[in-house]
Amino acid sequence: MLMCAFSSSVIDRVKHWITINESWTYTNLGYVTGTFPPGHGSTSTHPLEDNALMHRCVRGVDTTCHGGDAGTEPYIVAHHLHLAHATAVDVYRRNYQAVQGGKIGITNMTTWFEPYSNSPEDIAAASRAVDFMWGWFLAPINTGDYPATMRERVGDRLPKFTPEQAKLVKGSYDFIGMNYYTTNWAKNKPTPVGTPPTYVTDQEAEFFTTKDDHRVRYYQQHFAYMKQAIEDGVRLEGYFLWSLFDNYEWVEGYTVRFGIYYVDYVNGLVRYPKTSAIWYKNFLNKKVLPNPKQRQIEEIEDDNTAKRKRNRCVDVFF
């Protein structure tokens, strides 16, 4: 348990605990595509030539790595992540929660899937895609088992929870965190006979300068629809943008920048607020969040204001 390494005074100050962040990412990229440690999966022996940031195993730097089995290993890894999470929650609830007064949960990631067409096959494919990404990690902590579609299609390669394990896993959360990035179309694609079995199925925006107007508009639109979701009955209790500062990002290291504060890695780690940081600070000082329709009106007004400013600039310089 991570909390064992902290003093009791620190534990008392931390009220929200996350056991594991993005189990799907670690499982899929580490054991299906081979782009994350430990570099197992279907592409581990066939690295993509145009991907210069892949893990050392995939690039051939570490000759001790091996390919693995992308049709079996991901399900075993995910299964043990479920058990590890549930065990951590059990320890916290038995030994800390009553006194510490905090909450514990897990954060998973998913994209949403919409059917490519109105055909029954594509509609079913979209539903399967949700099950194999979001349901894979959400269903066990709610029902004690994996989605029925996974049981049907993966068969014996999908591990089974013992009755004791199912009891431990089911309900092992006080909250669920969701990291999501985009929505994809899903189209039914039958697997050719004889194909070996395999698993193939922050909020983050990457910018390299301190002027990131696109990110500001992203937040404006997103927060407006979050408000609408709450009004529609969604029990949304918090939102975390990724990230506060540019930082070390998994296998990409310092080559990508997701922070709303730019960090100068060359000159003493000096931090500069991006446009989004200034906007976010002002947003947090507001007490009223516009709905989507109001947000659209404000954006039109913003565009008109920008046009007027450009026109004034033209008058000045000419």
Side-chain angles (χ1 to χ4, degrees):
M1 285 292 289
L2 176 62
M3 61 188 66
C4 295
F6 295 107
S7 66
S8 59
S9 61
V10 174
I11 292 178
D12 291 341
R13 291 160 56 188
V14 179
K15 299 300 183 182
H16 291 82
W17 297 87
I18 295 175
T19 58
I20 300 173
N21 178 61
E22 294 198 4
S23 298
W24 182 90
T25 300
Y26 173 73
T27 302
N28 184 63
L29 300 187
Y31 293 86
V32 178
T33 67
T35 55
F36 273 24
H40 292 197
S42 57
T43 63
S44 292
T45 55
H46 304 284
L48 302 177
E49 295 180 357
D50 60 347
N51 191 340
L53 297 174
M54 299 178 76
H55 182 245
R56 59 190 295 117
C57 294
V58 185
R59 300 198 307 269
V61 176
D62 188 345
T63 58
T64 64
C65 298
H66 57 278
D69 181 359
T72 301
E73 282 188 339
Y75 302 110
I76 297 174
V77 170
H79 192 74
H80 284 88
L81 288 174
H82 280 302
L83 296 176
H85 154 76
T87 300
V89 172
D90 182 59
V91 170
Y92 177 75
R93 285 176 170 174
R94 286 188 291 105
N95 299 331
Y96 297 95
Q97 193 167 39
V99 176
Q100 196 260 342
K103 296 181 178 181
I104 191 167
I106 188 170
T107 294
N108 288 310
M109 73 83 62
T110 188
T111 58
W112 190 247
F113 296 91
E114 290 290 336
Y116 184 76
S117 72
N118 291 325
S119 70
E121 293 81 8
D122 287 354
I123 293 174
S127 178
R128 286 198 307 273
V130 173
D131 281 346
F132 269 75
M133 192 171 190
W134 182 237
W136 189 9
F137 294 95
L138 191 67
I141 61 177
N142 280 281
T143 68
D145 198 7
Y146 296 103
T149 50
M150 294 189 70
R151 284 277 174 221
E152 175 187 349
R153 290 176 171 270
V154 182
D156 293 339
R157 291 179 291 117
L158 188 64
K160 294 181 174 62
F161 294 107
T162 66
E164 294 78 13
Q165 291 173 339
K167 183 178 179 180
L168 179 69
V169 171
K170 183 178 179 180
S172 59
Y173 66 91
D174 298 323
F175 64 88
I176 295 173
M178 174 194 284
N179 294 347
Y180 57 101
Y181 304 88
T182 188
T183 297
N184 294 325
W185 299 108
K187 182 177 178 64
N188 185 54
K189 184 179 180 181
T191 302
V193 178
T195 302
T198 183
Y199 179 92
V200 179
T201 39
D202 315 272
Q203 172 171 286
E204 295 177 352
E206 181 182 354
F207 300 94
F208 287 89
T209 69
T210 59
K211 184 174 176 58
D212 54 352
D213 294 332
H214 289 85
R215 188 203 298 253
V216 171
R217 179 157 297 189
Y218 179 91
Y219 288 144
Q220 289 172 332
Q221 295 175 342
H222 190 77
F223 290 170
Y225 280 99
M226 284 169 52
K227 179 175 181 290
Q228 179 174 305
I230 294 173
E231 293 173 347
D232 291 342
V234 176
R235 294 173 58 189
L236 178 64
E237 297 186 6
Y239 176 85
F240 298 87
L241 60 83
W242 186 260
S243 60
L244 181 60
F245 300 109
D246 293 336
N247 57 16
Y248 190 87
E249 178 67 21
W250 292 59
V251 294
E252 286 87 358
Y254 295 108
T255 63
V256 293
R257 295 180 177 273
F258 296 131
I260 61 174
Y261 278 83
Y262 182 95
V263 178
D264 188 341
Y265 298 128
V266 178
N267 298 297
L269 301 179
V270 179
R271 303 164 185 172
Y272 301 94
K274 301 178 185 179
T275 303
S276 55
I278 298 171
W279 176 87
Y280 193 53
K281 177 182 177 180
N282 292 331
F283 165 80
L284 293 177
N285 289 327
K286 290 184 178 180
K287 295 183 178 180
V288 179
L289 179 65
N291 60 38
K293 187 174 182 179
Q294 291 173 325
R295 180 65 256 157
Q296 292 170 3
I297 294 174
E298 288 185 15
E299 287 176 357
I300 292 174
E301 293 175 346
D302 289 343
D303 288 341
N304 290 335
T305 300
K307 290 178 182 178
R308 288 196 296 271
K309 287 182 178 179
R310 286 195 295 269
N311 290 336
R312 286 200 296 270
C313 289
V314 170
D315 292 338
V316 170
F317 287 102
F318 292 91

